[in-house]
């Protein structure tokens, strides 16, 4: 059996798309017959503490390591743990999920012990690390020395080619469980049990539900979402449903909005962290329109999941988003230079006929079924592993 060491900064039940994609990929790799040890860090442990492995399935073990305050302590300690694990389990390859810190550490460790390495660029790891205070030299070294590189979008693949000079980057698209994330005409029994209905949440019948899913922060266009709510409510009753959390460092922005727009702020509903994808899907199905005004992106999981649920989306043209949304066909794109007009775009959507909205929502789900299914991802992973470890799958 092929043994893979998988290093990721976040893993379920951690928040965010990075954790979701890591957890999903590990599950799919295990279905391909691989034994996988996941190494991830935690701020909830004592610095340097290593928990006994969590056994997720027969061939998946998860090791959590307590973070030190700085990476110059965390990384050498993690290397010691990796050396110990390799001496016990004798891995065939190392996977770094996200370019830094996981990708760099995976590539460095693999080089030290003579293993093949792969790194996956997922989101803003290119855009963030190539500019100060990011470490451009470490980023470039990682891209040049990993055996196989995957990118979540063609846009990111082009950037990696420019940075590294490599023309062999594989595009590994994010995938969605289209059975969980699917349209529903009426609230399911689970939604009623969990109180995930418009009535339970205090949403009036005439209110338009503007949706966002994930950890709300500056890069996701937090201010543009708030401004859009203000604009729409001047014309039509509306609420903003945040399916997830507001990052702690960004709470001040929300508090300022509450001070200046108290009535509008009362129509912001924040669910908090939702670890179960089935529950996330129930909330997504409440949205009349989903908003993704990101300033920079890879290929956001939440957007794909929303489209799979048959919800109309208005998104920025950041990163790989234009690779999944064709404007006016299966969603709507707003240039990043025009995100201040997000509210106007919502009102234009509101003016569309029911038939037009239905056509867009059906086309959105069709795009996910064709290009972002779990079956498609499994085929892509087989291609990746065949290149990383010949004869492994």
């Amino acid at each position: 059996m092929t043994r893979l060491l998988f290093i990721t900064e976040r893993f379920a039940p951690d928040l965010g798309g990075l954790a979701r994609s890591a957890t999903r990929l590990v599950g799919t790799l295990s279905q391909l017959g691989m034994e996988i040890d996941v190494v991830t860090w935690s701020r909830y442990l004592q610095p340097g503490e290593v928990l006994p492995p969590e056994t997720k399935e027969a061939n998946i073990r998860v090791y959590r390591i307590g973070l030190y305050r700085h990476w110059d302590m965390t990384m050498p300690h993690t290397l010691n743990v990796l050396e110990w694990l390799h001496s016990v389990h004798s891995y065939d390859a190392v996977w770094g999920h996200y370019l830094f810190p996981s990708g760099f550490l995976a590539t460095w460790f693999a080089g030290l012990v003579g293993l093949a390495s792969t790194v996956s660029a997922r989101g803003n790891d290119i855009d963030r690390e190539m500019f100060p205070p990011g470490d451009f030299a470490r980023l470039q070294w990682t891209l040049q020395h990993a055996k196989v590189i995957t990118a979540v979008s063609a846009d990111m693949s082009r950037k990696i080619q420019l940075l590294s000079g490599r023309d062999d980057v594989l595009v590994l698209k994010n995938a969605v469980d289209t059975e969980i994330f699917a349209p529903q005409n009426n609230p399911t029994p689970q939604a009623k049990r969990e109180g995930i209905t418009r009535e339970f949440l205090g949403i009036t019948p005439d209110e338009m539900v503007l949706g966002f899913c994930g950890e709300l922060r500056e890069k996701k266009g937090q201010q543009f979402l708030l401004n859009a709510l203000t604009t729409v409510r001047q014309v039509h009753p509306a609420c903003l449903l945040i399916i997830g959390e507001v990052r702690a460092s960004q709470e001040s922005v929300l508090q300022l909005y509450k001070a200046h727009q108290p009535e509008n702020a009362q129509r912001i509903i924040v669910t908090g962290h939702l670890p179960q994808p089935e529950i996330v899907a129930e909330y997504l199905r409440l949205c009349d329109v989903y908003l993704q005004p990101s300033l920079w992106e890879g290929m956001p999981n939440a957007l794909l999941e929303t489209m799979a649920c048959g919800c109309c989306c208005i998104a920025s043209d950041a990163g790989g988003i234009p690779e999944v949304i064709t404007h006016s066909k299966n969603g709507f794109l707003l240039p990043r230079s025009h995100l201040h007009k997000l509210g106007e775009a919502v009102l234009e959507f509101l003016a569309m006929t029911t038939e037009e909205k239905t056509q867009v929502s059906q086309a959105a789900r069709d795009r996910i079924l064709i290009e972002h299914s779990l079956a498609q991802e499994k085929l892509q992973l087989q291609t990746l592993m065949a290149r990383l470890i010949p004869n492994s799958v």
Side-chain angles (χ1 to χ4, degrees):
M1 180 180 285
T2 300
R3 291 185 174 89
L4 181 67
L5 177 60
F6 191 102
I7 306 172
T8 178
E9 193 173 358
R10 293 189 177 191
F11 196 79
D14 293 335
L15 286 170
L18 184 67
R20 294 214 299 282
S21 63
T23 307
R24 187 187 68 246
L25 286 169
V26 166
T28 305
L29 288 165
S30 72
Q31 294 172 14
L32 295 175
M34 297 183 184
E35 183 176 306
I36 306 151
D37 281 358
V38 177
V39 172
T40 188
W41 296 283
S42 174
R43 291 177 174 81
Y44 303 104
L45 301 176
Q46 290 298 312
E49 180 183 1
V50 182
L51 290 183
E54 306 166 19
T55 303
K56 297 294 183 181
E57 296 176 20
N59 54 342
I60 300 174
R61 291 182 295 263
V62 180
Y63 294 86
R64 299 187 189 271
I65 302 174
L67 277 168
Y68 287 91
R69 180 172 296 181
H70 301 293
W71 284 113
D72 63 353
M73 282 293 292
T74 299
M75 283 197 164
H77 175 66
T78 304
L79 276 176
N80 291 338
V81 176
L82 300 182
E83 290 172 1
W84 164 64
L85 288 173
H86 183 48
S87 70
V88 175
H89 300 293
S90 188
Y91 300 111
D92 297 297
V94 189
W95 180 311
H97 199 59
Y98 209 73
L99 291 179
F100 183 84
S102 306
F104 167 72
L105 197 62
T107 306
W108 177 248
F109 175 70
L112 289 175
V113 298
L115 296 177
S117 63
T118 181
V119 297
S120 54
R122 308 299 304 178
N124 64 330
D125 36 359
I126 291 286
D127 295 323
R128 187 178 67 179
E129 291 301 321
M130 68 179 293
F131 298 116
D135 191 331
F136 182 84
R138 184 179 285 116
L139 171 68
Q140 193 172 52
W141 183 91
T142 302
L143 293 173
Q144 290 172 343
H145 287 81
K147 181 177 179 181
V148 179
I149 299 175
T150 65
V152 79
S153 67
D155 172 76
M156 188 166 289
S157 175
R158 288 190 295 270
K159 292 176 181 176
I160 291 172
Q161 183 174 352
L162 187 62
L163 283 167
S164 65
R166 298 177 61 153
D167 60 1
D168 60 347
V169 180
L170 288 172
V171 176
L172 180 63
K173 297 178 181 178
N174 272 332
V176 177
D177 187 330
T178 53
E179 293 186 6
I180 293 175
F181 294 95
Q184 291 283 351
N185 293 325
N186 299 302
T188 65
Q190 182 181 28
K192 293 177 180 178
R193 286 196 308 272
E194 300 286 343
I196 310 172
T197 63
R198 293 176 65 104
E199 294 77 15
F200 187 87
L201 294 171
I203 301 170
T204 61
D206 62 338
E207 271 190 307
M208 186 182 194
V209 180
L210 316 182
F212 171 84
C213 184
E215 188 183 22
L216 186 58
R217 54 198 191 276
E218 188 177 11
K219 68 159 275 195
K220 296 293 186 179
Q222 173 175 305
Q223 191 61 57
F224 298 112
L225 281 171
L226 298 176
N227 293 344
L229 177 64
T230 302
T231 300
V232 173
R233 280 180 51 80
Q234 290 172 352
V235 178
H236 192 278
C239 65
L240 175 61
L241 176 61
I242 299 172
I243 307 166
E245 294 183 344
V246 179
R247 179 169 286 189
S249 61
Q250 299 297 307
E251 279 285 352
S252 59
V253 176
L254 196 57
Q255 293 303 321
L256 189 63
Y257 182 76
K258 290 179 179 178
H260 291 148
Q261 301 278 347
E263 290 187 10
N264 291 332
Q266 289 180 0
R267 299 314 303 142
I268 298 176
I269 303 168
V270 183
T271 67
H273 175 45
L274 303 171
Q276 292 179 284
E278 294 84 359
I279 299 297
V280 174
E282 296 286 6
Y283 278 104
L284 287 174
R285 287 190 278 265
L286 293 178
C287 302
D288 293 302
V289 62
Y290 179 84
L291 308 179
Q292 188 82 48
S294 302
L295 301 179
W296 55 87
E297 271 293 359
M299 181 67 76
N301 285 284
L303 178 67
L304 302 179
E305 291 166 354
T306 305
M307 293 174 69
C309 286
C311 182
C312 292
C313 302
I314 302 174
S316 75
D317 60 354
I321 293 176
E323 295 169 34
V324 68
I325 289 184
T326 302
H327 183 65
S328 295
K329 298 294 184 182
N330 62 354
F332 304 92
L333 291 175
L334 199 60
R336 278 161 287 174
S337 58
H338 287 62
L339 288 176
H340 59 284
K341 296 185 176 181
L342 181 61
E344 296 174 28
V346 173
L347 292 175
E348 289 178 13
F349 168 79
L350 183 62
M352 291 171 59
T353 66
T354 301
E355 182 181 0
E356 289 171 331
K357 293 175 183 176
T358 300
Q359 289 176 348
V360 171
S361 65
Q362 183 59 56
R365 177 160 174 82
D366 289 344
R367 174 65 66 88
I368 303 304
L369 289 171
I370 294 169
E371 297 185 13
H372 295 273
S373 68
L374 294 179
Q376 284 285 341
E377 184 177 61
K378 195 170 186 178
L379 290 173
Q380 292 173 329
L381 285 174
Q382 288 176 320
T383 300
L384 185 161
M385 296 310 300
R387 186 182 295 187
L388 183 67
I389 317 169
N391 303 317
S392 62
V393 293

